[in-house]
Amino acid sequence: MDKEKAKAAQQEVYKTALDMYHSGMVSGTWGNISARINEEYMAITPSGMNYERLSPDQMVIVNIDSLSYEGPLKPSIEAIVHAEIYKNRPDVNGIVHTHSTYALTVATARKEIPPVCEDQVQILGGSIRVADYTMPGTKEMADACIKALDGRQGALIANHGAISCDVTLAKAFVASQIIEKTAMVYINSMAIGGPVEIPQKDIDFFSDFFRNKYGQKS
Ligand SMILES: [Zn+2]
């Protein structure tokens, strides 16, 4: 493994975990964050630790195929979900999973958020689907997330939280913030009669813009 690349990924995961903490988006349980090192390995936050007391080199290096890891700290129990997404989405190099309040609120109602905000459509690719309810940290949860993320950069997970992914971890973190904001706007708009969806032709425009901007295949 390229040691420099691994170190850079650990540093990026650590920094993003702290950014997430300072953003106030997390309360209670943390969620987890990862960055792809290469086709074989990812760096992911360790299980059940206070990130502020950790250092970048304690971000766990995990084999994407076998889930074996190096060092004394266990990776997040949701490492399997991250690994399966990396296997299925070659375009993805960073993943953020949160239990943020507004996303979780909509996820408990198991409601797909229609395309209602421009930045939602641009950054996440359209509606925010809900991955089926499954036990955390299982292959079933990974499969449900992959299905809900098809053609998208973000999804809700039924009764659990949200997950976002993108070409870089920095972009995946932005996507996680857009999910939380969209969920809040969606809930608020329901109190004043419900949101009006963005017309399909404009969604197509935003999708084209998104694909060209990020160089993805159409
Ligand atoms: Zn979780």
Side-chain angles (χ1 to χ4, degrees):
M1 191 195 344
D2 183 336
K3 285 247 152 57
E4 287 306 309
K5 251 185 139 179
K7 262 195 166 161
Q10 285 176 309
Q11 180 68 42
E12 200 186 3
V13 169
Y14 176 74
K15 185 187 163 294
T16 307
L18 286 187
D19 284 349
M20 191 163 84
Y21 173 72
H22 292 300
S23 76
M25 216 171 69
V26 285
S27 57
T29 47
W30 286 96
N32 36 72
I33 291 168
S34 73
R36 188 200 291 273
I37 299 168
N38 54 29
E39 278 185 14
E40 265 184 291
Y41 292 97
M42 63 181 179
I44 188 165
T45 45
S47 179
M49 303 288 288
N50 181 339
Y51 298 152
E52 284 206 306
R53 293 202 194 123
L54 289 171
S55 57
D57 63 331
Q58 289 175 307
M59 301 300 110
V60 189
I61 309 270
V62 178
N63 184 295
I64 289 171
D65 278 320
S66 67
L67 298 180
S68 60
Y69 61 94
E70 297 169 9
L73 296 181
K74 276 190 195 163
S76 157
I77 65 151
E78 280 148 349
I80 185 171
V81 178
H82 293 244
E84 291 295 320
I85 292 171
Y86 287 128
K87 281 197 262 185
N88 279 273
R89 291 281 297 264
D91 59 308
V92 165
N93 295 304
I95 297 170
V96 174
H97 166 55
T98 68
H99 308 140
S100 55
T101 307
Y102 289 103
L104 182 53
T105 303
V106 181
T108 59
R110 302 189 188 179
K111 282 187 190 300
E112 178 171 344
I113 304 179
V116 291
C117 301
E118 288 186 348
D119 52 5
Q120 169 201 359
V121 173
Q122 280 176 315
I123 306 253
L124 303 177
S127 67
I128 306 175
R129 302 187 193 105
V130 186
D132 289 344
Y133 177 75
T134 51
M135 287 302 284
T138 59
K139 174 77 163 50
E140 288 70 35
M141 180 176 163
D143 291 343
C145 288
I146 289 163
K147 191 173 161 214
L149 283 167
D150 185 35
R152 300 283 194 276
Q153 311 307 119
L156 302 173
I157 306 169
N159 304 80
H160 184 137
I163 191 154
S164 61
C165 58
D166 214 323
V167 290
T168 64
L169 179 53
K171 285 189 161 82
F173 180 53
V174 171
S176 73
Q177 292 172 302
I178 297 291
I179 294 172
E180 183 66 356
K181 192 192 82 171
T182 306
M184 185 180 76
V185 168
Y186 180 65
I187 294 164
N188 286 343
S189 69
M190 295 301 262
I192 52 169
V196 177
E197 288 187 30
I198 294 172
Q200 186 59 46
K201 69 174 173 49
D202 294 342
I203 293 170
D204 294 342
F205 170 79
F206 285 132
S207 298
D208 281 346
F209 171 81
F210 178 83
R211 274 198 295 268
N212 292 333
K213 190 178 169 194
Y214 289 91
Q216 295 183 353
K217 286 184 285 183
S218 56

PDB file of all heavy atoms in Angstrom, residues 29-32 76-78 97-99 136-137 141 157 160-162, ligand 1:
ATOM      1  N   THR A  29     -25.169   9.905  19.001  1.00  0.00           N
ATOM      2  CA  THR A  29     -24.181   9.050  18.337  1.00  0.00           C
ATOM      3  C   THR A  29     -23.616   9.741  17.098  1.00  0.00           C
ATOM      4  O   THR A  29     -24.255  10.576  16.481  1.00  0.00           O
ATOM      5  CB  THR A  29     -24.793   7.695  17.948  1.00  0.00           C
ATOM      6  OG1 THR A  29     -26.036   7.944  17.317  1.00  0.00           O
ATOM      7  CG2 THR A  29     -24.979   6.815  19.154  1.00  0.00           C
ATOM      8  N   TRP A  30     -22.424   9.336  16.727  1.00  0.00           N
ATOM      9  CA  TRP A  30     -21.608  10.101  15.800  1.00  0.00           C
ATOM     10  C   TRP A  30     -21.885   9.871  14.334  1.00  0.00           C
ATOM     11  O   TRP A  30     -21.728  10.791  13.537  1.00  0.00           O
ATOM     12  CB  TRP A  30     -20.144   9.728  16.039  1.00  0.00           C
ATOM     13  CG  TRP A  30     -19.621  10.310  17.286  1.00  0.00           C
ATOM     14  CD1 TRP A  30     -19.545   9.699  18.512  1.00  0.00           C
ATOM     15  CD2 TRP A  30     -19.102  11.621  17.466  1.00  0.00           C
ATOM     16  NE1 TRP A  30     -19.008  10.556  19.408  1.00  0.00           N
ATOM     17  CE2 TRP A  30     -18.725  11.737  18.807  1.00  0.00           C
ATOM     18  CE3 TRP A  30     -18.909  12.698  16.600  1.00  0.00           C
ATOM     19  CZ2 TRP A  30     -18.169  12.902  19.317  1.00  0.00           C
ATOM     20  CZ3 TRP A  30     -18.365  13.849  17.114  1.00  0.00           C
ATOM     21  CH2 TRP A  30     -18.009  13.943  18.455  1.00  0.00           C
ATOM     22  N   GLY A  31     -22.179   8.674  13.946  1.00  0.00           N
ATOM     23  CA  GLY A  31     -22.078   8.367  12.530  1.00  0.00           C
ATOM     24  C   GLY A  31     -20.627   8.027  12.219  1.00  0.00           C
ATOM     25  O   GLY A  31     -19.809   7.882  13.140  1.00  0.00           O
ATOM     26  N   ASN A  32     -20.276   7.929  10.951  1.00  0.00           N
ATOM     27  CA  ASN A  32     -18.906   7.574  10.598  1.00  0.00           C
ATOM     28  C   ASN A  32     -18.543   8.083   9.213  1.00  0.00           C
ATOM     29  O   ASN A  32     -19.417   8.393   8.406  1.00  0.00           O
ATOM     30  CB  ASN A  32     -18.699   6.058  10.720  1.00  0.00           C
ATOM     31  CG  ASN A  32     -19.939   5.300  10.306  1.00  0.00           C
ATOM     32  OD1 ASN A  32     -20.266   5.249   9.130  1.00  0.00           O
ATOM     33  ND2 ASN A  32     -20.662   4.737  11.262  1.00  0.00           N
ATOM     34  N   SER A  76     -15.383   1.391  12.599  1.00  0.00           N
ATOM     35  CA  SER A  76     -16.827   1.528  12.770  1.00  0.00           C
ATOM     36  C   SER A  76     -17.536   0.232  12.367  1.00  0.00           C
ATOM     37  O   SER A  76     -17.127  -0.425  11.406  1.00  0.00           O
ATOM     38  CB  SER A  76     -17.312   2.668  11.872  1.00  0.00           C
ATOM     39  OG  SER A  76     -18.679   2.515  11.601  1.00  0.00           O
ATOM     40  N   ILE A  77     -18.608  -0.119  13.088  1.00  0.00           N
ATOM     41  CA  ILE A  77     -19.328  -1.356  12.729  1.00  0.00           C
ATOM     42  C   ILE A  77     -20.005  -1.232  11.359  1.00  0.00           C
ATOM     43  O   ILE A  77     -20.388  -2.222  10.753  1.00  0.00           O
ATOM     44  CB  ILE A  77     -20.393  -1.779  13.775  1.00  0.00           C
ATOM     45  CG1 ILE A  77     -21.513  -0.759  13.866  1.00  0.00           C
ATOM     46  CG2 ILE A  77     -19.784  -2.114  15.104  1.00  0.00           C
ATOM     47  CD1 ILE A  77     -22.839  -1.396  14.280  1.00  0.00           C
ATOM     48  N   GLU A  78     -20.147   0.009  10.882  1.00  0.00           N
ATOM     49  CA  GLU A  78     -20.764   0.197   9.570  1.00  0.00           C
ATOM     50  C   GLU A  78     -19.728   0.200   8.441  1.00  0.00           C
ATOM     51  O   GLU A  78     -20.030   0.586   7.309  1.00  0.00           O
ATOM     52  CB  GLU A  78     -21.633   1.456   9.579  1.00  0.00           C
ATOM     53  CG  GLU A  78     -22.987   1.161  10.235  1.00  0.00           C
ATOM     54  CD  GLU A  78     -23.606   2.332  10.982  1.00  0.00           C
ATOM     55  OE1 GLU A  78     -22.921   3.346  11.185  1.00  0.00           O
ATOM     56  OE2 GLU A  78     -24.778   2.212  11.370  1.00  0.00           O
ATOM     57  N   HIS A  97     -21.597   9.158   6.872  1.00  0.00           N
ATOM     58  CA  HIS A  97     -22.852   8.609   7.406  1.00  0.00           C
ATOM     59  C   HIS A  97     -23.155   9.305   8.724  1.00  0.00           C
ATOM     60  O   HIS A  97     -22.288   9.372   9.596  1.00  0.00           O
ATOM     61  CB  HIS A  97     -22.701   7.101   7.607  1.00  0.00           C
ATOM     62  CG  HIS A  97     -23.771   6.503   8.448  1.00  0.00           C
ATOM     63  ND1 HIS A  97     -25.115   6.646   8.154  1.00  0.00           N
ATOM     64  CD2 HIS A  97     -23.727   5.780   9.585  1.00  0.00           C
ATOM     65  CE1 HIS A  97     -25.831   6.024   9.081  1.00  0.00           C
ATOM     66  NE2 HIS A  97     -25.009   5.505   9.963  1.00  0.00           N
ATOM     67  N   THR A  98     -24.357   9.865   8.841  1.00  0.00           N
ATOM     68  CA  THR A  98     -24.724  10.592  10.067  1.00  0.00           C
ATOM     69  C   THR A  98     -26.061  10.079  10.604  1.00  0.00           C
ATOM     70  O   THR A  98     -26.813   9.395   9.898  1.00  0.00           O
ATOM     71  CB  THR A  98     -24.909  12.103   9.802  1.00  0.00           C
ATOM     72  OG1 THR A  98     -26.071  12.283   8.981  1.00  0.00           O
ATOM     73  CG2 THR A  98     -23.697  12.706   9.119  1.00  0.00           C
ATOM     74  N   HIS A  99     -26.314  10.455  11.855  1.00  0.00           N
ATOM     75  CA  HIS A  99     -27.632  10.242  12.450  1.00  0.00           C
ATOM     76  C   HIS A  99     -28.222  11.620  12.760  1.00  0.00           C
ATOM     77  O   HIS A  99     -28.808  11.821  13.821  1.00  0.00           O
ATOM     78  CB  HIS A  99     -27.515   9.401  13.723  1.00  0.00           C
ATOM     79  CG  HIS A  99     -26.756   8.123  13.525  1.00  0.00           C
ATOM     80  ND1 HIS A  99     -25.861   7.627  14.442  1.00  0.00           N
ATOM     81  CD2 HIS A  99     -26.757   7.240  12.498  1.00  0.00           C
ATOM     82  CE1 HIS A  99     -25.345   6.486  13.995  1.00  0.00           C
ATOM     83  NE2 HIS A  99     -25.869   6.233  12.821  1.00  0.00           N
ATOM     84  N   PRO A 136     -28.290  -2.448  11.515  1.00  0.00           N
ATOM     85  CA  PRO A 136     -27.056  -1.706  11.237  1.00  0.00           C
ATOM     86  C   PRO A 136     -25.854  -2.636  11.072  1.00  0.00           C
ATOM     87  O   PRO A 136     -25.788  -3.693  11.700  1.00  0.00           O
ATOM     88  CB  PRO A 136     -26.861  -0.838  12.485  1.00  0.00           C
ATOM     89  CG  PRO A 136     -28.146  -0.859  13.211  1.00  0.00           C
ATOM     90  CD  PRO A 136     -28.874  -2.101  12.811  1.00  0.00           C
ATOM     91  N   GLY A 137     -24.937  -2.222  10.212  1.00  0.00           N
ATOM     92  CA  GLY A 137     -23.683  -2.951  10.074  1.00  0.00           C
ATOM     93  C   GLY A 137     -23.806  -4.304   9.392  1.00  0.00           C
ATOM     94  O   GLY A 137     -22.989  -5.191   9.612  1.00  0.00           O
ATOM     95  N   MET A 141     -27.936  -3.938   4.994  1.00  0.00           N
ATOM     96  CA  MET A 141     -27.940  -2.474   5.076  1.00  0.00           C
ATOM     97  C   MET A 141     -27.117  -1.892   3.924  1.00  0.00           C
ATOM     98  O   MET A 141     -27.525  -0.913   3.296  1.00  0.00           O
ATOM     99  CB  MET A 141     -27.378  -2.000   6.411  1.00  0.00           C
ATOM    100  CG  MET A 141     -27.352  -0.470   6.548  1.00  0.00           C
ATOM    101  SD  MET A 141     -26.789   0.043   8.186  1.00  0.00           S
ATOM    102  CE  MET A 141     -26.372   1.748   7.860  1.00  0.00           C
ATOM    103  N   ILE A 157     -31.700   6.579   5.483  1.00  0.00           N
ATOM    104  CA  ILE A 157     -31.747   5.155   5.841  1.00  0.00           C
ATOM    105  C   ILE A 157     -32.880   5.011   6.866  1.00  0.00           C
ATOM    106  O   ILE A 157     -32.856   5.670   7.909  1.00  0.00           O
ATOM    107  CB  ILE A 157     -30.418   4.681   6.469  1.00  0.00           C
ATOM    108  CG1 ILE A 157     -29.238   5.023   5.543  1.00  0.00           C
ATOM    109  CG2 ILE A 157     -30.467   3.185   6.760  1.00  0.00           C
ATOM    110  CD1 ILE A 157     -27.870   4.829   6.200  1.00  0.00           C
ATOM    111  N   HIS A 160     -32.849   5.280  10.842  1.00  0.00           N
ATOM    112  CA  HIS A 160     -31.432   5.200  11.200  1.00  0.00           C
ATOM    113  C   HIS A 160     -30.679   6.512  10.963  1.00  0.00           C
ATOM    114  O   HIS A 160     -30.024   7.014  11.869  1.00  0.00           O
ATOM    115  CB  HIS A 160     -30.809   4.043  10.405  1.00  0.00           C
ATOM    116  CG  HIS A 160     -29.382   3.779  10.727  1.00  0.00           C
ATOM    117  ND1 HIS A 160     -28.870   2.516  10.893  1.00  0.00           N
ATOM    118  CD2 HIS A 160     -28.327   4.615  10.920  1.00  0.00           C
ATOM    119  CE1 HIS A 160     -27.584   2.585  11.191  1.00  0.00           C
ATOM    120  NE2 HIS A 160     -27.236   3.850  11.206  1.00  0.00           N
ATOM    121  N   GLY A 161     -30.786   7.107   9.774  1.00  0.00           N
ATOM    122  CA  GLY A 161     -30.024   8.324   9.518  1.00  0.00           C
ATOM    123  C   GLY A 161     -29.895   8.628   8.045  1.00  0.00           C
ATOM    124  O   GLY A 161     -30.845   8.458   7.283  1.00  0.00           O
ATOM    125  N   ALA A 162     -28.702   9.069   7.651  1.00  0.00           N
ATOM    126  CA  ALA A 162     -28.462   9.467   6.266  1.00  0.00           C
ATOM    127  C   ALA A 162     -27.081   9.021   5.839  1.00  0.00           C
ATOM    128  O   ALA A 162     -26.202   8.783   6.664  1.00  0.00           O
ATOM    129  CB  ALA A 162     -28.574  10.985   6.136  1.00  0.00           C
TER     130      ALA A 162
HETATM  131 ZN    ZN B   1     -25.372   4.560  11.729  1.00  0.00          ZN
END
